[in-house]
Every structure is written in structure tokens, then in C-alpha cells.
Amino acid sequence: MNYSEIAELQKKAFLKGVNRSYDARKKHLRNLKKLVLENEHLLIDALNSDFGKPYSEAYITEIFLVLQEIETQLKHLRSWMKPDTVNPTVTTFPSKNFINKQPYGTVLIIGAWNYPVHLTLLPLAGALAAGNMVVIKPSELTQEVSGLLNRLVQKYFDPEVVTVIEGGPEETANLLQQPFDKFFFTGSPRVGKIVMKAAAEKLIPVTLELGGKSPVIIHEDAPLETTAKRVWLGKCANAGQTCIAPDFVLIHKKLEKAFIEQSREALKQFFSDDFIPGENYTRIINHQHFDRLVKLLEKSEVLFGGASNRENRFIEPALIRAGWDDEIMQDEIFGPLLPMITYKDVNEVIHELQKRPAPLALYIFTNDEDLQQRVMDEVPFGGGCINEAPFHTFNPALPFGGAGNSGIGSYHGKYSFDAFSRKQSILKKPFWPDTDIRYMPYDDTKIAWFKRLFS
Ligand code: NAD
């Protein structure tokens, strides 16, 4: 089947109501759960074979989070599907007023490579719960996972409900021309703009889950042992190839030395000085990204770490002393390099962050509640943590998404259901009573009645 035939097949199935009822949606969500549970090891093996993602990380950040999302959708499906009722106003009385949550219809989900199972199957759960038909386009950079997802989806779903299409930019460009009713995209801001332009041509909604440079602010009162462990856990996961990984650290000058020491300690605790790509540490996705990161390392003042091996695409975590204008501070790093900039006055930090594109996440380590509030209010960012990183993504009750350059819209839990639903407002009127005041002609007495309402 070519792309337009698939789009047409799904559109027909949608109009027939194949995923409309509560029972149908529940059945599809249960199929998805079965797909994940019965093939957990195959999925983890594919992740390991594509870029050496260790078993534990693959389980927690890909399998566990997808299962948690499916369970959340299943648990709340019936209540989320129910229309919301609202009161009539004086001009619409008597009537019933309610809001239906209608599926968009057919949805295209485009995934990024860094969490290829999570970034396709987690939004799929929300899209199915909301009653849509779905085409998934996983990243071409993780071919083992893409191929496996394709085979598994064929085994567990009818193509009219879910289909996987593999391919890169060319295939995605073709898919963006098909008559979908919504695009859900995870990836770079550069490609996000391509997706949004295609959506503009069709006037369909988009959710854009993009990236950016997520800062960590470590203020002078932060307890450094715990802070360093939490920051490096976020940085080392997936070898820093995480959209919400701490990208760089802004630290009060007086903590600099101690943070360097505690960082070494944290890494020693995590890896016992023994990085084994594929077993306890993820590889860099490909040689192009490996070379880009090594070039950044060469141009930086490395405080420790940064050993590398091109053959197995390994880069050791590295702490770097940096300034705002350094090359490493220009684009999202997407690797295990952590630049650190010191500050004396936290106002400088807020001011510098305000000048830059809004990041997907921000982390602040301090017990100073005024400062916590100031940063939340004065620096635009998608979401984040106080005294933690980057676990806000683990709670499906928190909407996950960016701000400005890091994305449009959000998902997870109820927010996924909403991201894939269209609100339909209905006013239902009885035939009786039927007063004359509502009909033309609108003479002065009737207008006076309206005027009295808000005088
Ligand atoms: P990418 O933008 O290069 O690719 C994403 C998807 O777009 C892939 O499926 C790819 O095939 C497709 N694509 C690439 N070029 C295209 C083109 N010219 N036309 C049409 N489609 C194209 O991103 P990536 O390298 O896969 O992922 C890294 C980026 O994703 C980072 O910026 C990261 O921060 C971001 N990201 C965001 C989230 C989030 O939840 N917000 C999660 C993971 C990754």
C-alpha cells in the first residue's frame, strides 16, 4: 500500500467508527499493552543493538514509562470520554450545554531517535485513547527499533487502526502531504518548522515536542553531594542524549571547587570508573554526532573526563569550564558534556537566560523559595524541577511540553488525551418553552432587557 492508500484506509475506518466506542478504545489500548509486555526483551535488545542502551535504562525510560502511560489512559478513559457539562446562561436558558471530546480522526506521529520506543508508543496510547487512527513514523537513525516496531504493530493492530511507516526526511516529507487531521512531532526545532509549515497548508493542529539548552542553576545554599548526583544522573542517562538532560550548569562562584569534587564522586559512585558501553552506559548514536561532540571537547577547557573511542562511539562524561560565548554554549549539546559557568549575582543568570530561546526544561537547586519563584516567573521554559533533574517527565499528571523554541502543546496522561481530542461545544434546547423575546424584530423593549443584564 502506498501512503495515500494508507491514509485513505484509516480515514474510512475512522468514519466507520472503528475506534469510536469505549470498548474499542479499551481493546486497542490493551493490545498496545500486550505488544509492550510480550516483546519487552525484543524491544530492549533492539535499543541495545541500535546504540547500546543498557538494559536498566531501556527498561525504566522506555518500557516502564510507556506501560505507565497506557495504564493511566486505561484507568481514566471512561471519565475522560464523558462530555463536560456546563451551566446555561440567562440568554441560553433553558438548555443543556456540554462539551464533547471528539477524536481528530487520523494522526501522524513522527518520532525522534533518542527514545525511539517511548517517543512513538507513549503518544500512541493517548491518540488511541482519544479515538484516533494512527500512522507512526519512527526515526531512521534507530533502524532495529523502527523495523521491530513495524513488525510488532502489524502483528497486534489492523493497519486501519495503527500503521508504522519507516523512512527518513524524504518519506516524512511525503507523509506530511497526506490528508492527516493532526501532526504530533518530536524532534529538532529545525524540522519542527517543516512540520508546522505542512500543517499550516492543511490548517490542521500540531503538537511540537522540540529541544533546547536546558539550564541547571545551582545556588549558593545547595547541598552539593545530592545536587551533583541528581545533575549527573540526568546528564549520564542515555549518555546525555536526552531532550531534557541538564545541558549546562550555572553555579555560584563559591561552590565551583566543591562541585567539581562532588561531580567526580557522583560519577565514581555510578560507574566505579568503569564505563562499559552497552552495559552500563549508552553509545553516541552515530559517528556524525560522535565527531561533533569530540570537536566541542577539543575546543573546551575540560576539567575532567571526556575520554573517547570512535570505534565503539563512546564518550566519557566530561565537566567543562565555560563562558556564555563559547561554542559549546550555542546549540543543544545532546551528549555527555557538561559546561559549567560560574556567577556571583543570580540576577545576571536570570538576565542571560531571558536573552536566550526558551528551553524545554530548567532545574534549580536551592531552598530559597523567593528565588525559586522568581526563576519560574521570570525565565520562560517548558517545565522542570526544583532540587531534582529531570524527573518531572515521570509523572503523567504533569503536562510535558516546551515553550517558544522548545515546542508547542503538551502531552502525557490527561494532556495526551486532550492533545488528540477536539472540543465540540453543544447547546441542546427543548422545544418548549418558546418565548417571543428571542425572535426578531428586536425592538427597544427587547434591547432594554439585554442592557439591564450588565448595567
Ligand atoms: P530530527 O528533527 O532530526 O528528526 C526527528 C524526525 O524528523 C525523525 O523521524 C526524522 O526522520 C524526521 N526528519 C528529519 N529531517 C527531516 C526533514 N528534513 N523533513 C521531514 N522530516 C525530517 O531530530 P532527532 O535528531 O531525531 O532528535 C533530536 C532532537 O529532538 C533534539 O533537538 C531533542 O531535544 C529533540 N527531542 C525532543 C523531545 C521532546 O519530548 N520534546 C524528545 C526527544 C528529542
Side-chain angles (χ1 to χ4, degrees):
M1 261 191 294
N2 63 32
Y3 297 171
S4 61
E5 284 166 349
I6 290 167
E8 203 174 308
L9 177 79
Q10 292 205 340
K11 183 79 84 188
K12 269 193 193 146
F14 172 69
L15 293 173
K16 265 198 307 193
V18 166
N19 191 24
R20 189 176 299 154
S21 67
Y22 169 73
D23 285 343
R25 297 183 198 193
K26 200 167 69 174
K27 181 185 92 182
H28 292 131
L29 284 168
R30 285 193 172 150
N31 275 357
L32 181 57
K33 184 174 168 183
K34 249 171 81 175
L35 180 157
V36 177
L37 282 177
E38 290 176 359
N39 300 282
E40 187 184 301
H41 285 279
L42 288 179
L43 290 163
I44 291 175
D45 286 350
L47 287 160
N48 193 273
S49 145
D50 273 328
F51 61 129
K53 200 177 277 224
Y55 177 90
S56 52
E57 251 188 67
Y59 184 77
I60 295 165
T61 61
E62 307 251 20
I63 306 296
F64 169 82
L65 288 179
V66 170
L67 289 172
Q68 175 178 262
E69 177 73 9
I70 299 168
E71 280 304 318
T72 307
Q73 298 296 335
L74 277 168
K75 182 169 170 205
H76 298 284
L77 184 60
R78 201 183 278 282
S79 76
W80 291 345
M81 281 179 71
K82 279 192 188 137
D84 292 334
T85 53
V86 296
N87 291 329
T89 60
V90 68
T91 48
T92 56
F93 184 85
S95 64
K96 279 189 182 148
N97 292 238
F98 51 94
I99 305 153
N100 293 322
K101 289 75 166 278
Q102 298 291 5
Y104 280 113
T106 56
V107 171
L108 174 62
I109 294 176
I110 303 169
W113 57 263
N114 57 336
Y115 290 88
V117 175
H118 172 146
L119 297 174
T120 47
L121 300 190
L122 199 145
L124 174 63
L128 289 174
N132 297 278
M133 309 294 156
V134 185
V135 169
I136 297 174
K137 209 299 292 175
S139 172
E140 73 282 15
L141 299 192
T142 40
Q143 282 188 357
E144 290 291 328
V145 172
S146 301
L148 178 63
L149 283 177
N150 195 350
R151 293 192 295 281
L152 294 178
V153 162
Q154 287 184 46
K155 184 170 162 196
Y156 288 81
F157 289 97
D158 289 332
E160 58 183 11
V161 180
V162 188
T163 292
V164 170
I165 292 179
E166 295 178 67
E170 202 182 310
E171 289 76 9
T172 315
N174 186 336
L175 278 170
L176 290 172
Q177 300 310 313
Q178 304 306 323
F180 289 102
D181 299 303
K182 157 123 199 180
F183 294 149
F184 182 99
F185 172 78
T186 304
S188 60
R190 179 184 68 83
V191 181
K193 288 175 192 169
I194 296 174
V195 172
M196 189 145 177
K197 273 188 196 139
E201 283 304 315
K202 300 174 189 300
L203 288 178
I204 60 167
V206 287
T207 299
L208 300 180
E209 294 284 336
L210 311 178
K213 284 184 88 61
S214 300
V216 180
I217 302 171
I218 304 178
H219 200 45
E220 54 187 322
D221 65 310
L224 279 189
E225 188 186 337
T226 312
T227 301
K229 279 198 289 194
R230 292 181 184 179
V231 170
W232 280 104
L233 181 69
K235 190 67 170 179
C236 291
N238 221 24
Q241 304 167 107
T242 302
C243 56
I244 48 170
D247 190 279
F248 60 96
V249 163
L250 301 162
I251 188 162
H252 194 279
K253 180 79 188 151
K254 74 178 198 193
L255 301 185
E256 183 187 15
K257 223 172 124 214
F259 183 70
I260 299 171
E261 274 163 32
Q262 290 301 332
S263 294
R264 282 183 194 277
E265 287 301 316
L267 290 168
K268 203 177 282 171
Q269 184 187 327
F270 297 168
F271 298 102
S272 318
D273 289 328
D274 194 11
F275 293 89
I276 312 167
E279 271 186 44
N280 66 1
Y281 191 64
T282 306
R283 287 182 226 285
I284 303 305
I285 182 71
N286 57 26
H287 284 112
Q288 192 191 332
H289 280 282
F290 176 90
D291 293 342
R292 175 183 64 79
L293 290 164
V294 168
K295 227 180 252 168
L296 282 178
L297 264 173
E298 285 165 0
K299 290 183 181 167
S300 302
E301 184 187 341
V302 179
L303 294 167
F304 70 76
S308 62
N309 177 343
R310 197 171 191 276
E311 212 170 298
N312 65 7
R313 306 194 311 273
F314 161 71
I315 299 183
E316 183 192 11
L319 184 63
I320 286 164
R321 182 175 284 123
W324 286 105
D325 296 330
D326 291 358
E327 191 168 333
I328 200 163
M329 287 303 296
Q330 305 318 308
D331 293 314
E332 186 178 6
I333 297 169
F334 231 55
L337 320 181
L338 187 66
M340 172 179 72
I341 299 178
T342 56
Y343 69 84
K344 284 191 183 136
D345 176 1
V346 77
N347 290 306
E348 290 164 34
V349 163
I350 292 178
H351 183 66
E352 283 294 339
L353 292 175
Q354 284 172 337
K355 288 198 289 192
R356 290 171 162 71
L360 183 58
L362 181 148
Y363 309 108
I364 178 164
F365 290 81
T366 179
N367 284 319
D368 178 341
E369 294 194 348
D370 290 340
L371 180 60
Q372 295 168 0
Q373 193 61 47
R374 263 196 76 196
V375 168
M376 288 188 284
D377 292 343
E378 295 177 24
V379 181
F381 60 95
C385 306
I386 296 170
N387 302 332
E388 174 65 297
F391 276 85
H392 57 302
T393 188
F394 272 64
N395 184 351
L398 292 173
F400 183 78
N405 202 61
S406 55
I408 294 177
S410 59
Y411 75 129
H412 289 189
K414 170 75 161 65
Y415 302 93
S416 276
F417 187 88
D418 289 345
F420 291 106
S421 306
R422 180 169 54 77
K423 292 194 166 67
Q424 181 186 60
S425 297
I426 301 292
L427 183 151
K428 184 174 173 183
K429 189 96 180 149
F431 284 106
W432 186 91
D434 192 38
T435 52
D436 258 356
I437 187 165
R438 48 199 308 275
Y439 294 110
M440 289 178 270
Y442 293 116
D443 58 20
D444 290 350
T445 326
K446 288 180 183 174
I447 296 300
W449 179 86
F450 274 99
K451 284 189 170 175
R452 267 202 303 279
L453 286 177
F454 298 123
S455 57

